[in-house]
Amino acid sequence: MESRLKVLGHPVHPMLVMFPVALLATAVLFDVVDTVGGPDFLGEVAYWNITVGLIGGLLAAAAGSFDLLAIPTGTRAKRVGLLHAGANVAVILLFAAVWAVRLNADSRAAGGSLVAIEVVALAILGISAWLGGELVDRLGVGVDPDAGLDAPSSLRPPTATQRIGEV
């Protein structure tokens, strides 16, 4: 199933997911190091990583929604896609809760219970990332139907045969 939202022939959702995943994972790492006695500035950096990670996560979710809505109902891909989306919503909500607690706090440091929530959210994110890989690599969601080892460039205009097949 070909992606519905593309830029220069490539699906947008996979381009966007790497940023929130990296930012949120790094935030957890910085908060853990800060909690066990690392430099004080790491709590502040982690807070801003979460801030930007949440924004990126919402953008990635919007792009992913286009592909999710296009998956036919009653398929394994739809079930996996819904589970993937639900897990990502849980991750966004957990990190948003951590962010909200830290927003007006005297210190941006997370501390024990907030770090525990972050670790749980990161574990869910890992599962969701695996589900996203399952969607693309195993089920072909977002992959061009003409993909292959010798496929032409995505910047080439479709042939007449390809245009007829889209109708």
Side-chain angles (χ1 to χ4, degrees):
M1 184 197 100
E2 192 171 2
S3 179
R4 298 293 189 244
L5 185 60
K6 293 182 170 187
V7 171
L8 296 175
H10 293 279
V12 172
H13 180 65
M15 289 188 240
L16 295 177
V17 297
M18 69 182 82
F19 295 107
V21 169
L23 287 164
L24 296 174
T26 305
V28 175
L29 176 66
F30 288 170
D31 275 337
V32 168
V33 172
D34 180 49
T35 301
V36 298
D40 291 340
F41 72 90
L42 287 180
E44 183 78 23
V45 173
Y47 169 81
W48 287 107
N49 277 9
I50 291 171
T51 303
V52 178
L54 287 171
I55 294 166
L58 293 173
L59 291 173
S65 296
F66 283 91
D67 290 338
L68 179 62
L69 293 172
I71 299 173
T73 55
T75 62
R76 178 168 178 265
K78 187 68 155 197
R79 291 188 301 276
V80 172
L82 289 170
L83 190 55
H84 172 68
N88 286 333
V89 167
V91 168
I92 293 294
L93 290 175
L94 288 170
F95 274 107
V98 168
W99 177 84
V101 168
R102 294 167 81 168
L103 177 62
N104 293 315
D106 293 335
S107 168
R108 297 288 169 97
S113 60
L114 292 179
V115 172
I117 293 169
E118 289 177 6
V119 168
V120 168
L122 188 60
I124 296 169
L125 183 58
I127 293 166
S128 182
W130 182 87
L131 290 168
E134 184 77 356
L135 283 166
V136 173
D137 295 334
R138 185 60 136 178
L139 299 169
V141 173
V143 177
D144 190 306
D146 296 324
L149 296 178
D150 292 316
S153 168
S154 55
L155 296 176
R156 283 178 80 190
T159 64
T161 307
Q162 290 169 326
R163 281 193 300 271
I164 291 170
E166 292 176 1
V167 176

